[in-house]
Amino acid sequence: MAASALNGCQSLVDQSYQPNVSPSANPQIVSEVQKNDPRAQMGAREHPRIVASYGGEYKDAKTERLVARIAGALTSVSENPQQSYRITILNSPAINAFALPGGYLYVTRGLLALADDASEVAAVLSHEMAHVTANHGIERQKREEAEVIASRVVAEVLSSDIAGKQALARGKLRLAAFSRQQELQADEIGIRTLGQAGYDPYAAARFLDAMEAYSRFMSANSDVDQSLDFLSSHPSTPQRIDLARDHAREFGEDGKVGDKGRDYYLDGVDGLLYGDSPEEGYVRGQTFLHGGLGIRFDVPPDFRIDNKVEAVLATGPGDIAIRFDGVADSQNQSLTNYISSGWVTGLDTSTIKPMTINGMEAATARASADRWDFDVTVIRDKSQIFRFLTAVPKGSPALEQTADTLRASFRHITSSEAASLKPLRVRVLTVKPGDTITTLASRMMGTDRKLDLFKLINALQTGASIAPGDRVKIIAE
């Protein structure tokens, strides 16, 4: 039908007319423009690894439009308006943003949840754009080979090193760390871009303060691995914050210059996923639950669960560590054969024994390496093999007890448990008469420090107050 309609249209015009303007057979798309740019090639090479280490891309049209709006305003006044950028929102609760050579910019949904307005996100993005336009990544490239070698070494000892994955994650992002001088230079360029774009130039200093406060909030739990967070690669100091305010003063007095963009920012992050994503499962106290996989287990009291992209990690008293992950059961071999197939270093084959865990086929074994004793437990469920690796200091009597708790609690979740699993999200509320900071904070979910986190995500200082009509963020289902 389409072909005959087009033929009919052509018969109505002069057949002798030969158009001399036609679509290009080689359109100028970003990847084509940057094809021969070594900086872009470096960014393109690292991009899949970065995205994978942060749980993939966060896809949400409203949030993507918000970030694109902010980035567009900055690009038009940046040091190099011809520089094209590829901005990726990472599906991670970590607070981070960084750049790779060639215009690859990244911001996590965790950072978007913490930021109080558009100008704060603009401050972060303009800082990262400054790294790109100042070619800081080329200087950093010299360290890449050494980093690749270090990562390979970590990967090779992974099965005997409970901290291996964390070390590997840190290594992946060491390429995104700049020198102190480069950071200060990016601050200066970024704040100039921020002010020229019409945003509040004081947002840079304000958000550095906010991230410092968040870091203190998180460091109250010493078990949390912050290697993937912004301040681990962008160290903040009082001097740096003071310099940021000095640069901002060139545009005018604090509070009297630039747009914060708070209302449209809150509209853009309302409903933003917060904390664990459904694809990674949920941590609820001492319990890990995964609706998609249909499984759950508990860790002992006083243990803390850290739900990473590549595995669930848990740490407890006495340097006890637990790693849980799953692999596809492609060969359908016996689990006793699977345990001895070479993926466990220091395995004592005489300890391998089959068992049943809550109706599921399983097997266990012991291993030793370096300073650690390990319990290895594998469980088959449908087409998956789930793996627990429990590590204790050599000779610790806690190994059996810890592994028993994991095994006894591992089971399928019920349909009602699955139905009750809902992700936490940023919810934007309008303050009503009678609402107080305390009453609104009491509605927060997913934290036992509700008031502290409520103040953090709403940039409320000590002694601050709220009034009817104000808009605030809470974390809720």
Side-chain angles (χ1 to χ4, degrees), residues 407-442:
R407 286 192 286 261
S409 65
F410 186 89
R411 63 173 175 81
H412 292 124
I413 60 174
T414 65
S415 54
S416 61
E417 284 173 328
S420 70
L421 287 177
K422 295 177 183 175
L424 298 178
R425 297 187 182 274
V426 174
R427 302 294 184 189
V428 177
L429 307 177
T430 300
V431 177
K432 297 176 182 175
D435 284 339
T436 66
I437 290 176
T438 303
T439 61
L440 289 169
S442 70

mmCIF file of all heavy atoms in Angstrom, residues 407-442:
data_model
loop_
_atom_site.group_PDB
_atom_site.id
_atom_site.type_symbol
_atom_site.label_atom_id
_atom_site.label_comp_id
_atom_site.label_asym_id
_atom_site.label_seq_id
_atom_site.Cartn_x
_atom_site.Cartn_y
_atom_site.Cartn_z
ATOM 1 N N ARG A 407 21.890 -21.189 55.988
ATOM 2 C CA ARG A 407 21.259 -22.362 55.378
ATOM 3 C C ARG A 407 19.839 -22.563 55.877
ATOM 4 O O ARG A 407 18.918 -22.832 55.099
ATOM 5 C CB ARG A 407 22.110 -23.607 55.656
ATOM 6 C CG ARG A 407 23.389 -23.681 54.830
ATOM 7 C CD ARG A 407 24.023 -25.053 54.946
ATOM 8 N NE ARG A 407 24.676 -25.243 56.247
ATOM 9 C CZ ARG A 407 25.979 -25.101 56.457
ATOM 10 N NH1 ARG A 407 26.778 -24.761 55.451
ATOM 11 N NH2 ARG A 407 26.510 -25.305 57.646
ATOM 12 N N ALA A 408 19.647 -22.441 57.185
ATOM 13 C CA ALA A 408 18.327 -22.701 57.760
ATOM 14 C C ALA A 408 17.288 -21.688 57.291
ATOM 15 O O ALA A 408 16.097 -22.008 57.169
ATOM 16 C CB ALA A 408 18.417 -22.691 59.290
ATOM 17 N N SER A 409 17.733 -20.447 57.003
ATOM 18 C CA SER A 409 16.771 -19.390 56.668
ATOM 19 C C SER A 409 16.522 -19.258 55.167
ATOM 20 O O SER A 409 15.598 -18.572 54.746
ATOM 21 C CB SER A 409 17.276 -18.046 57.210
ATOM 22 O OG SER A 409 18.482 -17.656 56.559
ATOM 23 N N PHE A 410 17.349 -19.927 54.355
ATOM 24 C CA PHE A 410 17.191 -19.788 52.900
ATOM 25 C C PHE A 410 15.959 -20.567 52.445
ATOM 26 O O PHE A 410 15.875 -21.778 52.631
ATOM 27 C CB PHE A 410 18.432 -20.300 52.166
ATOM 28 C CG PHE A 410 18.392 -20.045 50.686
ATOM 29 C CD1 PHE A 410 18.883 -18.864 50.161
ATOM 30 C CD2 PHE A 410 17.847 -20.975 49.819
ATOM 31 C CE1 PHE A 410 18.838 -18.612 48.797
ATOM 32 C CE2 PHE A 410 17.791 -20.745 48.461
ATOM 33 C CZ PHE A 410 18.285 -19.554 47.943
ATOM 34 N N ARG A 411 15.011 -19.883 51.850
ATOM 35 C CA ARG A 411 13.775 -20.540 51.407
ATOM 36 C C ARG A 411 13.113 -19.706 50.322
ATOM 37 O O ARG A 411 13.506 -18.571 50.040
ATOM 38 C CB ARG A 411 12.806 -20.726 52.580
ATOM 39 C CG ARG A 411 12.325 -19.429 53.213
ATOM 40 C CD ARG A 411 11.236 -19.709 54.249
ATOM 41 N NE ARG A 411 10.811 -18.530 54.990
ATOM 42 C CZ ARG A 411 9.939 -17.620 54.548
ATOM 43 N NH1 ARG A 411 9.429 -17.732 53.316
ATOM 44 N NH2 ARG A 411 9.596 -16.591 55.295
ATOM 45 N N HIS A 412 12.070 -20.291 49.712
ATOM 46 C CA HIS A 412 11.248 -19.536 48.758
ATOM 47 C C HIS A 412 10.375 -18.542 49.519
ATOM 48 O O HIS A 412 9.912 -18.845 50.627
ATOM 49 C CB HIS A 412 10.358 -20.486 47.947
ATOM 50 C CG HIS A 412 11.118 -21.370 47.022
ATOM 51 N ND1 HIS A 412 11.024 -22.745 47.047
ATOM 52 C CD2 HIS A 412 11.994 -21.080 46.021
ATOM 53 C CE1 HIS A 412 11.806 -23.261 46.111
ATOM 54 N NE2 HIS A 412 12.406 -22.275 45.483
ATOM 55 N N ILE A 413 10.145 -17.388 48.920
ATOM 56 C CA ILE A 413 9.224 -16.443 49.555
ATOM 57 C C ILE A 413 7.800 -16.809 49.178
ATOM 58 O O ILE A 413 7.542 -17.404 48.131
ATOM 59 C CB ILE A 413 9.529 -14.982 49.165
ATOM 60 C CG1 ILE A 413 9.407 -14.773 47.654
ATOM 61 C CG2 ILE A 413 10.903 -14.558 49.633
ATOM 62 C CD1 ILE A 413 9.556 -13.319 47.237
ATOM 63 N N THR A 414 6.864 -16.454 50.045
ATOM 64 C CA THR A 414 5.454 -16.733 49.788
ATOM 65 C C THR A 414 4.890 -15.688 48.830
ATOM 66 O O THR A 414 5.491 -14.628 48.608
ATOM 67 C CB THR A 414 4.653 -16.697 51.100
ATOM 68 O OG1 THR A 414 4.697 -15.347 51.619
ATOM 69 C CG2 THR A 414 5.252 -17.647 52.127
ATOM 70 N N SER A 415 3.725 -15.983 48.279
ATOM 71 C CA SER A 415 3.099 -15.031 47.348
ATOM 72 C C SER A 415 2.765 -13.722 48.056
ATOM 73 O O SER A 415 2.876 -12.643 47.462
ATOM 74 C CB SER A 415 1.833 -15.645 46.738
ATOM 75 O OG SER A 415 0.957 -16.089 47.754
ATOM 76 N N SER A 416 2.376 -13.801 49.323
ATOM 77 C CA SER A 416 2.064 -12.568 50.056
ATOM 78 C C SER A 416 3.332 -11.755 50.322
ATOM 79 O O SER A 416 3.314 -10.524 50.272
ATOM 80 C CB SER A 416 1.342 -12.883 51.374
ATOM 81 O OG SER A 416 2.161 -13.685 52.208
ATOM 82 N N GLU A 417 4.453 -12.462 50.596
ATOM 83 C CA GLU A 417 5.727 -11.750 50.783
ATOM 84 C C GLU A 417 6.139 -11.054 49.488
ATOM 85 O O GLU A 417 6.578 -9.893 49.495
ATOM 86 C CB GLU A 417 6.818 -12.732 51.215
ATOM 87 C CG GLU A 417 6.729 -13.157 52.667
ATOM 88 C CD GLU A 417 7.729 -14.247 53.007
ATOM 89 O OE1 GLU A 417 8.055 -15.078 52.137
ATOM 90 O OE2 GLU A 417 8.199 -14.262 54.167
ATOM 91 N N ALA A 418 5.972 -11.759 48.371
ATOM 92 C CA ALA A 418 6.342 -11.174 47.075
ATOM 93 C C ALA A 418 5.491 -9.943 46.779
ATOM 94 O O ALA A 418 5.996 -8.926 46.293
ATOM 95 C CB ALA A 418 6.197 -12.215 45.970
ATOM 96 N N ALA A 419 4.192 -10.042 47.080
ATOM 97 C CA ALA A 419 3.286 -8.928 46.788
ATOM 98 C C ALA A 419 3.598 -7.705 47.649
ATOM 99 O O ALA A 419 3.342 -6.564 47.239
ATOM 100 C CB ALA A 419 1.837 -9.368 47.008
ATOM 101 N N SER A 420 4.152 -7.943 48.831
ATOM 102 C CA SER A 420 4.418 -6.822 49.742
ATOM 103 C C SER A 420 5.731 -6.112 49.443
ATOM 104 O O SER A 420 6.013 -5.056 50.014
ATOM 105 C CB SER A 420 4.443 -7.328 51.195
ATOM 106 O OG SER A 420 5.593 -8.130 51.418
ATOM 107 N N LEU A 421 6.536 -6.676 48.540
ATOM 108 C CA LEU A 421 7.839 -6.081 48.229
ATOM 109 C C LEU A 421 7.658 -4.920 47.261
ATOM 110 O O LEU A 421 7.382 -5.105 46.079
ATOM 111 C CB LEU A 421 8.772 -7.117 47.616
ATOM 112 C CG LEU A 421 9.333 -8.179 48.563
ATOM 113 C CD1 LEU A 421 10.183 -9.165 47.785
ATOM 114 C CD2 LEU A 421 10.149 -7.531 49.670
ATOM 115 N N LYS A 422 7.805 -3.725 47.770
ATOM 116 C CA LYS A 422 7.685 -2.532 46.928
ATOM 117 C C LYS A 422 8.941 -1.688 47.093
ATOM 118 O O LYS A 422 9.450 -1.531 48.209
ATOM 119 C CB LYS A 422 6.452 -1.709 47.322
ATOM 120 C CG LYS A 422 5.139 -2.437 47.077
ATOM 121 C CD LYS A 422 3.970 -1.602 47.560
ATOM 122 C CE LYS A 422 2.660 -2.366 47.389
ATOM 123 N NZ LYS A 422 1.518 -1.620 47.955
ATOM 124 N N PRO A 423 9.442 -1.131 45.995
ATOM 125 C CA PRO A 423 10.647 -0.299 46.117
ATOM 126 C C PRO A 423 10.342 1.009 46.831
ATOM 127 O O PRO A 423 9.207 1.499 46.815
ATOM 128 C CB PRO A 423 11.036 -0.048 44.657
ATOM 129 C CG PRO A 423 9.761 -0.172 43.892
ATOM 130 C CD PRO A 423 8.954 -1.219 44.617
ATOM 131 N N LEU A 424 11.357 1.563 47.460
ATOM 132 C CA LEU A 424 11.226 2.888 48.066
ATOM 133 C C LEU A 424 11.459 3.944 47.001
ATOM 134 O O LEU A 424 12.254 3.754 46.077
ATOM 135 C CB LEU A 424 12.244 3.054 49.202
ATOM 136 C CG LEU A 424 12.105 2.081 50.376
ATOM 137 C CD1 LEU A 424 13.212 2.317 51.399
ATOM 138 C CD2 LEU A 424 10.739 2.223 51.035
ATOM 139 N N ARG A 425 10.743 5.052 47.129
ATOM 140 C CA ARG A 425 10.863 6.131 46.148
ATOM 141 C C ARG A 425 10.896 7.484 46.849
ATOM 142 O O ARG A 425 10.477 7.611 48.007
ATOM 143 C CB ARG A 425 9.687 6.099 45.158
ATOM 144 C CG ARG A 425 9.656 4.822 44.321
ATOM 145 C CD ARG A 425 8.594 4.861 43.238
ATOM 146 N NE ARG A 425 8.571 3.609 42.483
ATOM 147 C CZ ARG A 425 9.355 3.351 41.436
ATOM 148 N NH1 ARG A 425 10.226 4.269 41.031
ATOM 149 N NH2 ARG A 425 9.279 2.203 40.804
ATOM 150 N N VAL A 426 11.421 8.476 46.128
ATOM 151 C CA VAL A 426 11.333 9.862 46.593
ATOM 152 C C VAL A 426 9.906 10.332 46.332
ATOM 153 O O VAL A 426 9.408 10.246 45.213
ATOM 154 C CB VAL A 426 12.331 10.764 45.831
ATOM 155 C CG1 VAL A 426 12.129 12.218 46.209
ATOM 156 C CG2 VAL A 426 13.763 10.331 46.105
ATOM 157 N N ARG A 427 9.238 10.801 47.378
ATOM 158 C CA ARG A 427 7.883 11.344 47.243
ATOM 159 C C ARG A 427 7.903 12.808 47.669
ATOM 160 O O ARG A 427 8.440 13.140 48.735
ATOM 161 C CB ARG A 427 6.888 10.555 48.110
ATOM 162 C CG ARG A 427 6.813 9.063 47.789
ATOM 163 C CD ARG A 427 6.259 8.801 46.402
ATOM 164 N NE ARG A 427 6.106 7.371 46.115
ATOM 165 C CZ ARG A 427 5.805 6.886 44.917
ATOM 166 N NH1 ARG A 427 5.629 7.710 43.893
ATOM 167 N NH2 ARG A 427 5.700 5.586 44.724
ATOM 168 N N VAL A 428 7.355 13.664 46.837
ATOM 169 C CA VAL A 428 7.333 15.101 47.125
ATOM 170 C C VAL A 428 5.973 15.466 47.708
ATOM 171 O O VAL A 428 4.931 15.183 47.115
ATOM 172 C CB VAL A 428 7.622 15.922 45.852
ATOM 173 C CG1 VAL A 428 7.530 17.420 46.148
ATOM 174 C CG2 VAL A 428 9.010 15.579 45.309
ATOM 175 N N LEU A 429 5.995 16.083 48.898
ATOM 176 C CA LEU A 429 4.769 16.473 49.599
ATOM 177 C C LEU A 429 4.720 17.984 49.760
ATOM 178 O O LEU A 429 5.750 18.651 49.853
ATOM 179 C CB LEU A 429 4.722 15.833 50.994
ATOM 180 C CG LEU A 429 4.911 14.315 51.106
ATOM 181 C CD1 LEU A 429 4.893 13.909 52.574
ATOM 182 C CD2 LEU A 429 3.823 13.579 50.330
ATOM 183 N N THR A 430 3.505 18.512 49.823
ATOM 184 C CA THR A 430 3.313 19.917 50.164
ATOM 185 C C THR A 430 2.951 20.001 51.639
ATOM 186 O O THR A 430 2.046 19.295 52.109
ATOM 187 C CB THR A 430 2.191 20.540 49.312
ATOM 188 O OG1 THR A 430 2.556 20.439 47.926
ATOM 189 C CG2 THR A 430 1.995 22.009 49.663
ATOM 190 N N VAL A 431 3.682 20.820 52.376
ATOM 191 C CA VAL A 431 3.483 20.940 53.824
ATOM 192 C C VAL A 431 2.089 21.520 54.093
ATOM 193 O O VAL A 431 1.686 22.520 53.509
ATOM 194 C CB VAL A 431 4.564 21.850 54.444
ATOM 195 C CG1 VAL A 431 4.319 22.035 55.942
ATOM 196 C CG2 VAL A 431 5.956 21.250 54.197
ATOM 197 N N LYS A 432 1.364 20.849 55.003
ATOM 198 C CA LYS A 432 0.016 21.285 55.373
ATOM 199 C C LYS A 432 0.032 21.922 56.755
ATOM 200 O O LYS A 432 0.974 21.711 57.532
ATOM 201 C CB LYS A 432 -0.932 20.074 55.371
ATOM 202 C CG LYS A 432 -1.091 19.413 54.008
ATOM 203 C CD LYS A 432 -1.960 18.168 54.113
ATOM 204 C CE LYS A 432 -2.091 17.477 52.754
ATOM 205 N NZ LYS A 432 -2.834 16.202 52.861
ATOM 206 N N PRO A 433 -1.002 22.715 57.082
ATOM 207 C CA PRO A 433 -1.069 23.276 58.441
ATOM 208 C C PRO A 433 -1.001 22.166 59.486
ATOM 209 O O PRO A 433 -1.656 21.126 59.344
ATOM 210 C CB PRO A 433 -2.439 23.985 58.456
ATOM 211 C CG PRO A 433 -2.706 24.328 57.024
ATOM 212 C CD PRO A 433 -2.129 23.187 56.233
ATOM 213 N N GLY A 434 -0.189 22.350 60.492
ATOM 214 C CA GLY A 434 -0.021 21.336 61.535
ATOM 215 C C GLY A 434 1.149 20.406 61.309
ATOM 216 O O GLY A 434 1.605 19.724 62.231
ATOM 217 N N ASP A 435 1.652 20.337 60.051
ATOM 218 C CA ASP A 435 2.840 19.509 59.775
ATOM 219 C C ASP A 435 4.077 20.143 60.399
ATOM 220 O O ASP A 435 4.226 21.370 60.399
ATOM 221 C CB ASP A 435 3.077 19.383 58.265
ATOM 222 C CG ASP A 435 2.118 18.409 57.597
ATOM 223 O OD1 ASP A 435 1.562 17.550 58.304
ATOM 224 O OD2 ASP A 435 1.930 18.511 56.365
ATOM 225 N N THR A 436 4.954 19.307 60.922
ATOM 226 C CA THR A 436 6.250 19.771 61.435
ATOM 227 C C THR A 436 7.347 18.908 60.832
ATOM 228 O O THR A 436 7.068 17.863 60.214
ATOM 229 C CB THR A 436 6.320 19.659 62.969
ATOM 230 O OG1 THR A 436 6.289 18.259 63.326
ATOM 231 C CG2 THR A 436 5.157 20.386 63.644
ATOM 232 N N ILE A 437 8.573 19.328 61.020
ATOM 233 C CA ILE A 437 9.696 18.513 60.546
ATOM 234 C C ILE A 437 9.631 17.122 61.170
ATOM 235 O O ILE A 437 9.841 16.111 60.503
ATOM 236 C CB ILE A 437 11.031 19.216 60.873
ATOM 237 C CG1 ILE A 437 11.203 20.455 59.993
ATOM 238 C CG2 ILE A 437 12.212 18.269 60.697
ATOM 239 C CD1 ILE A 437 12.443 21.283 60.288
ATOM 240 N N THR A 438 9.270 17.074 62.447
ATOM 241 C CA THR A 438 9.217 15.789 63.155
ATOM 242 C C THR A 438 8.115 14.891 62.621
ATOM 243 O O THR A 438 8.325 13.687 62.380
ATOM 244 C CB THR A 438 9.018 16.020 64.668
ATOM 245 O OG1 THR A 438 10.065 16.854 65.156
ATOM 246 C CG2 THR A 438 9.031 14.702 65.423
ATOM 247 N N THR A 439 6.915 15.449 62.390
ATOM 248 C CA THR A 439 5.801 14.614 61.916
ATOM 249 C C THR A 439 6.047 14.136 60.484
ATOM 250 O O THR A 439 5.712 12.999 60.136
ATOM 251 C CB THR A 439 4.460 15.367 61.994
ATOM 252 O OG1 THR A 439 4.512 16.535 61.162
ATOM 253 C CG2 THR A 439 4.140 15.770 63.422
ATOM 254 N N LEU A 440 6.621 14.986 59.649
ATOM 255 C CA LEU A 440 6.904 14.565 58.276
ATOM 256 C C LEU A 440 8.027 13.533 58.239
ATOM 257 O O LEU A 440 7.969 12.562 57.480
ATOM 258 C CB LEU A 440 7.264 15.774 57.417
ATOM 259 C CG LEU A 440 6.097 16.714 57.097
ATOM 260 C CD1 LEU A 440 6.588 18.015 56.487
ATOM 261 C CD2 LEU A 440 5.107 16.033 56.148
ATOM 262 N N ALA A 441 9.047 13.733 59.090
ATOM 263 C CA ALA A 441 10.154 12.773 59.136
ATOM 264 C C ALA A 441 9.677 11.401 59.607
ATOM 265 O O ALA A 441 10.231 10.371 59.202
ATOM 266 C CB ALA A 441 11.259 13.284 60.050
ATOM 267 N N SER A 442 8.652 11.374 60.438
ATOM 268 C CA SER A 442 8.149 10.090 60.948
ATOM 269 C C SER A 442 7.552 9.232 59.836
ATOM 270 O O SER A 442 7.367 8.029 60.002
ATOM 271 C CB SER A 442 7.108 10.320 62.048
ATOM 272 O OG SER A 442 5.923 10.864 61.498
#
